[in-house]
Amino acid sequence: MKKWGKRVGYGIGDLGCNLVFSTMASYLMVFYTDVFGITAAAAGTMMLVTKFIDALTDTGMGLIVDKTHTRWGQGRPYFIVGAIPFAVFTFMTFYIPDFSASGKLIWAYITYCLLCTAYTVVNIPLNTIVPRLTSDIHERDVLVSTRMVCAMAGTAIVMSITAPMVEFFGKGNEAKGYLVTMTIYGIVAMLIFFVTFASTKEVVPPTVSSVRVSLMDSLKGLTAQAWILFLLNLFYFSLYVVRSTTVIYYFKYNLGRTDWLSLVGVLGILSGLPMLLALPALEKKFSKRSLMFFSVALYIAGDLLIFVGRNSAVCLLTGLVITGLGIYGIFGITFAMQPDVIDYSEYEKNASVAGLIAAFQGFFVKGGMGLTSFVIGVFLKNGGYVANAEQTEKALSYIEICFIWIPIVLCAAIAILTYFYKLDKLRGDMTEELENRREKMLKDV
């Protein structure tokens, strides 16, 4: 039970993050345009600009974590530090001041940037502490999978109850509905971060002394395997954005199945749950490299089944489930690789750069998501897409390219990168060497 207390305590940290992050991903644009009162162009530009600002704050937070040394650990204290600001800035982001149009836009920029920064303060440490929680490789895989399941649960909660809550608390006043709903999410997330702090303990020290190093020295601690991880994050989250953004367009316009949109949303979230639950057991028997190839093949097979069987309900639903298994397999394995990459920097470069690795992951994730969203918008516009209208053949073909063929190209890129991932073979040697170094450090103290 103690193990599961730690697993769940760590995992629900991402549930807390996702209560707000998933709401921002799904509802923030419509909130800004339809409720807050700024134009779609201004909101879209703000989302792109702030994503790159956010990516830079990720890098800064990673460096801060690497330079933090307290009796509570390196990353864990920031669950407490960031919890209250996270709740406060969630409230502020969804508060509508009585300002002019330009004043509102400035308020939106400032509050959204502050909320993204508070998210960074709690989320970067969540990414860094797994190697410090345990040196047992299987236990690390269980921790990562628990976190992924909790993240999915957070997304499912948001997709299920946000709209009803806005309606219930607003009673016709959407501004009030959003404010009360998001305040509740912010407070719940804050309490969850307190639980995550109390449930975890950093018991595995780094094998590198805690001397302060320069940014240049920290950058030298990044290995080629770390860059493979960063690019995997870039391509995975690009795949995630393309799929989640264009699936509605494809089913609405290309297939004419608007009555399926709710079902498509549910399948998109829940179809990957079996894969996340099975990953720890699969990772005991198979290498992460092999499982990544398998997940990529699953996604491509499901994608092609949707394309070939687009006139068959059975083929469409089966294809959605298979792509869900594939995309969440890629998701879970990418995050499971991170502790190995962190250890490899200690093993190969004698560098403790967990925070910097998590920061670069965040940079590639958020920069990639922002850029991909922008590219999809430009691509659809060039195809002649017109909202809520009958689409031309050209527009339909561009939607099909976005939903079917771009994901296959991204999957191919993920497979090529995975070919150069080599830490599965080194995992045993790394564990033994790092344990020997820790024992030596303890003897020298």
Side-chain angles (χ1 to χ4, degrees), residues 205-376:
T207 61
V208 182
S209 61
S210 60
V211 295
R212 296 190 180 277
V213 296
S214 66
L215 173 59
M216 190 57 64
D217 287 333
S218 293
L219 289 172
K220 290 177 181 177
L222 298 177
T223 64
Q225 297 297 298
W227 289 102
I228 288 173
L229 178 68
F230 302 153
L231 290 172
L232 282 173
N233 275 271
L234 171 67
F235 288 123
Y236 165 73
F237 279 95
S238 295
L239 174 64
Y240 173 79
V241 168
V242 171
R243 173 186 163 87
S244 60
T245 302
T246 60
V247 64
I248 305 300
Y249 293 102
Y250 187 74
F251 273 77
K252 181 177 180 179
Y253 296 110
N254 292 58
L255 302 182
R257 295 184 179 269
T258 54
D259 55 319
W260 279 25
L261 293 182
S262 295
L263 177 61
V264 167
V266 171
L267 281 177
I269 295 170
L270 297 182
S271 59
L273 182 59
M275 178 63 82
L276 292 179
L277 293 174
L279 272 181
L282 291 172
E283 286 164 339
K284 269 187 167 182
K285 296 182 178 181
F286 305 99
S287 68
K288 293 181 177 71
R289 193 167 175 262
S290 298
L291 289 171
M292 183 68 89
F293 287 139
F294 176 69
S295 297
V296 165
L298 267 181
Y299 188 93
I300 292 174
D303 217 17
L304 292 176
L305 181 60
I306 291 172
F307 175 69
V308 173
R310 53 190 176 275
N311 296 319
S312 164
V314 173
C315 287
L316 286 172
L317 294 177
T318 304
L320 280 173
V321 170
I322 293 173
T323 55
L325 290 169
I327 199 168
Y328 278 102
I330 297 169
F331 181 39
I333 296 159
T334 300
F335 274 86
M337 287 176 172
Q338 187 201 43
D340 293 342
V341 170
I342 290 171
D343 278 353
Y344 187 61
S345 283
E346 288 193 33
Y347 172 79
E348 181 72 13
K349 299 278 191 174
N350 200 36
S352 178
V353 288
L356 189 63
I357 287 172
F360 268 91
Q361 275 186 273
F363 183 91
F364 277 82
V365 167
K366 292 172 182 176
M369 289 177 75
L371 187 59
T372 302
S373 297
F374 177 75
V375 168
I376 289 172

